[in-house]
Amino acid sequence: IYELWSEYEAAETKAAKIVKDVDKLELVMQAMEYEHAHGVFFDDFFDSTMDRFTTETGKQWANAVYAKRVSSMPPPKNAEDSNNNKQLNNNAEESNRQQ
């Protein structure tokens, strides 16, 4: 088990890189679920994680989750929420263009 953990931590193999991306993706999905359940927004968190995925598979999965987040956001209650939603849409579109 220690060897597998060391491989994961070193992230030198393709498998370890994918597992690291899946680990990050799971955290992102938890944050999205928490947003939906509690009506809070973690825009800074999502902005800071967008470029943290290293494999093409991880990037594709992350983009799908980010797109799902944007498409399922509740309608804005005020101008600040409206601006946040516009920025989220812009970030998702930019991320998709970069692929």
Side-chain angles (χ1 to χ4, degrees):
I1 291 179
Y2 178 77
E3 289 176 14
L4 291 173
W5 178 256
S6 295
E7 178 183 333
Y8 167 79
E9 283 296 308
E12 293 174 353
T13 66
K14 184 176 181 178
K17 290 175 184 177
I18 288 173
V19 170
K20 281 207 172 262
D21 277 356
V22 169
D23 193 34
K24 291 175 210 157
L25 187 64
E26 194 269 337
L27 183 60
V28 166
M29 292 173 70
Q30 280 186 21
M32 186 175 76
E33 289 175 11
Y34 191 88
E35 281 184 327
H36 288 251
H38 299 284
V40 296
F41 298 98
F42 298 123
D43 297 338
D44 290 341
F45 169 77
F46 283 94
D47 290 344
S48 72
T49 60
M50 274 189 138
D51 297 324
R52 301 285 177 131
F53 295 88
T54 59
T55 65
E56 285 306 310
T57 301
K59 290 174 186 177
Q60 290 171 2
W61 289 342
N63 284 334
V65 171
Y66 291 124
K68 171 84 170 157
R69 177 181 182 249
V70 170
S71 69
S72 63
M73 295 295 266
K77 296 175 189 164
N78 55 45
E80 183 178 342
D81 284 349
S82 179
N83 288 336
N84 287 343
N85 286 352
K86 286 178 189 172
Q87 185 61 45
L88 288 171
N89 284 325
N90 290 341
N91 289 349
E93 289 171 6
E94 178 63 27
S95 181
N96 286 332
R97 276 196 297 273
Q98 290 176 356
Q99 287 202 358

